[in-house]
Amino acid sequence: MMKVAILGHGTVGSGVAEVLTSHAESIARRAKEEIEIQYILDIRDFPDSPLHDRFTKDFNQILQDPEVKIVAEVMGGLHPAFDYVKACLENGKSVVTSNKELVAAKGAELLKIAQKNNLNFLFEASVGGGIPIIRPISQCLAANEVLEIAGILNGTTNFILTKMIRESMTFEDALALAQKLGYAERNPAADIEGHDACRKICILASLAFGKHVYPEWVHTEGITKVTLSDVEYADAWGGVIKLIGSVKHTDNGKIMIMVAPMMIPRESQLANVDDVFNGILVRGDETGDVVFYGKGAGKLPTASAVVADIIDCVKHVKARKYLYWDDATADYVEDYRKNETLMYVRATAEDCDALFDKADALFGGVSRLSRFDAPENELAFYTEKLMSEAVIEEKLQQLQQMGAQVDMTIRIADL
Amino acid sequence: MMKVAILGHGTVGSGVAEVLTSHAESIARRAKEEIEIQYILDIRDFPDSPLHDRFTKDFNQILQDPEVKIVAEVMGGLHPAFDYVKACLENGKSVVTSNKELVAAKGAELLKIAQKNNLNFLFEASVGGGIPIIRPISQCLAANEVLEIAGILNGTTNFILTKMIRESMTFEDALALAQKLGYAERNPAADIEGHDACRKICILASLAFGKHVYPEWVHTEGITKVTLSDVEYADAWGGVIKLIGSVKHTDNGKIMIMVAPMMIPRESQLANVDDVFNGILVRGDETGDVVFYGKGAGKLPTASAVVADIIDCVKHVKARKYLYWDDATADYVEDYRKNETLMYVRATAEDCDALFDKADALFGGVSRLSRFDAPENELAFYTEKLMSEAVIEEKLQQLQQMGAQVDMTIRIADL
């Protein structure tokens, strides 16, 4: 009998309790041991819960109970989650978590404590909800060098973009619908500004390349500036706009990492990842492209990933499970302006033909895009030669000095 | 220093040697121990190989070397692979294999021997080449009940169907091209008759549902009868034809498993799995649909999966890794004629309108499909109500008795 504690009884936490209860028999079979919920920590009361006698408001009760060997942290947020997790790892308890904010901000530190104390710190549910991705990267791809990871990592923004693409809904209407359906928080900034996707690509980058990447080092753009006209131009170009978190090795031992809306071709395996689904592409030197697809959030998918980690802890309770990365300094992340890319540009000008000619000369070749009913003073094009973002930026400023107004730029990704 | 032996130096075997050599440093870091190739077994000579001094023609030399703790079986075929693997497991050596024929035919027996001797028997590379699928099913989805697995499991047939769909190439021409490109064997029967896909869905079914499924129990149809007209009708219906291996639980504790060409809707995550790629959909009760996509074959993807298993063996050399299923009897597999499905039908009749009316009455509603330049005596339709295959078969025989000739039937899958 293995006794566990669950920190938090919100969406994911109640899901974890539900899965552990409803699947108790098959879980015991797989873990080779019964798993019992000893405590659930929450500041609220749940008198009607069938587990009402397990609730506590006192974290120290859990910390000081030597019978509790595994703690599931599903509170979210950095504090007090970090303090609790740290205390658990320092007191002989393995921890599993779905908390991407915690792993992205404190992963290296917590992994180090876990290693020192020969405990597990697992976080499969922190990226991709119920999609297995942490383990496949760390284990199955162990014989590969990962070259690049790119993913649709946030279901809310993907839902919004899908509505814009498929139903020509405006960003504002799609966001309102997402909120109505419960996909977006009342304060949707973490999603639509790209911060949630940023945390997840940081975790994947840390795992794949072995050094911690902190979210504040990552150039992050959200989707709030994407308009229906951009969606139409993307369609004319032959693809769709998706919010992509991407990271790749650079030749100088650094990484190029960013989160931004990107145009990807319709044939890309990520182009058909729609609605609240997530898709993660892992490019290995031996395997080529491998893609993982599924529900990236939601109570039960996320809870089942947490429970899978709990099962893994039970099976490895006496042997630390190998997940590890080192700490790093900010210069490990390459300046995003050195990123070489093709760029889509939407601009306003009095004389679009003249602006096109100027752009064509400046960028050494651009292709014009058209859409139905575009205003006469709107020009959209994409560059045809790879250039660094710094150079593109410089050339766009030259265009502005000629009287054009650059309204939008979107990277074109080779995915 | 961990010493391994590789049985076979064909495509996969030479890839394993190559990956172990080229990635030696990172592999040692991940395995926490250096891995050295002590022997390579092959009846041929490879005097120019940088590893030429490791070659042996004598399996017993490997078997009797107590230093060899891990053996990679990458010979393929059932004999002598089975005898060698069994001997290794009985003599204290863990085994990893890419051999789907072996696992599908002898998995339960070999897993039992491995369990008895506290050794690992791993086979990530046997399904999906470089796509991680065995581990994700057994570990990450441990907290789920798997409801259904459906996959495009054979790259050769998928390449042929893709050429038929995208370039209107005939089956014969596409097969010839696949052979020219080295995707298909000179004797392509195992691929085009569905046997290769059958072995893989048997392995996935055994793993997901805990009982061994032998290929000879599985209703298996290949793609040799699929014509370009069927491809066109599938397009008119709104989808594509793919060779699908599928398995699901039935209410009576059995499984419904088969391999057959199926029509799947264009929106399905499997519809865009093209060329030699594989895609595997795992439907869990908590996670919903999770899809794994990548190169299902090829020297280096497959080799890297074998090497990942070797690394896992090194890390678990003293603790058996938990992969297991029981043996079963043939009545565990439900009669495929009890499968409830919608069906596409292509028929020849003198009076197509009359035949359509009869079919419509017989099946309680059918929808007609059309294609450009269809012969006047060709009728294609699909049934609108779920019926067992036995009932559909019976009704089709009634149609034949009325003078029609049923030329092709293809199941319509809900994927």
Side-chain angles (χ1 to χ4, degrees), chain A residues 292-331:
Chain A
F292 304 84
Y293 165 93
K295 272 187 193 145
K299 176 178 175 171
L300 292 178
T302 308
S304 80
V306 173
V307 172
D309 273 351
I310 293 177
I311 294 173
D312 224 11
C313 277
V314 173
K315 287 159 73 178
H316 291 82
V317 80
K318 283 173 196 158
R320 188 176 52 83
K321 182 106 185 165
Y322 190 66
L323 274 183
Y324 195 73
W325 60 69
D326 291 317
D327 211 344
T329 51
D331 60 356

Side-chain angles (χ1 to χ4, degrees), chain A residues 269, chain B residues 127-129 131 149-159 161-162 165 196-198 200-201 204 240-246 259-262 264 268-281 291-297 415:
Chain A
Q269 282 299 316
Chain B
V127 182
I131 310 171
I149 298 177
I152 295 170
L153 299 164
N154 178 270
T156 307
T157 45
N158 203 43
F159 175 83
L161 289 170
T162 301
I165 293 164
D196 177 77
C198 177
K200 292 168 179 168
I201 194 67
L204 296 178
V240 290
I241 299 170
K242 294 284 185 187
L243 182 66
I244 302 285
S246 77
V259 174
M262 299 188 193
I264 59 174
S268 166
Q269 282 299 316
L270 295 180
N272 291 293
V273 175
D274 281 335
D275 295 318
V276 292
F277 285 83
N278 286 12
I280 300 158
L281 182 155
V291 178
F292 303 84
Y293 165 93
K295 272 188 194 143
L415 295 174

Side-chain angles (χ1 to χ4, degrees), chain A residues 135 139 167 362 365 368:
Chain A
R135 254 185 218 82
Q139 291 198 348
E167 300 173 29
L362 261 177
R368 194 161 179 176

Side-chain angles (χ1 to χ4, degrees), chain A residues 23 26 30 142 285-286 291 293, chain B residues 23 30 142 285-286 291 293:
Chain A
H23 289 60
S26 58
R30 282 157 186 159
D285 65 343
E286 310 288 5
V291 178
Y293 165 93
Chain B
H23 289 61
R30 282 159 185 158
D285 64 343
E286 311 288 5
V291 178
Y293 165 93

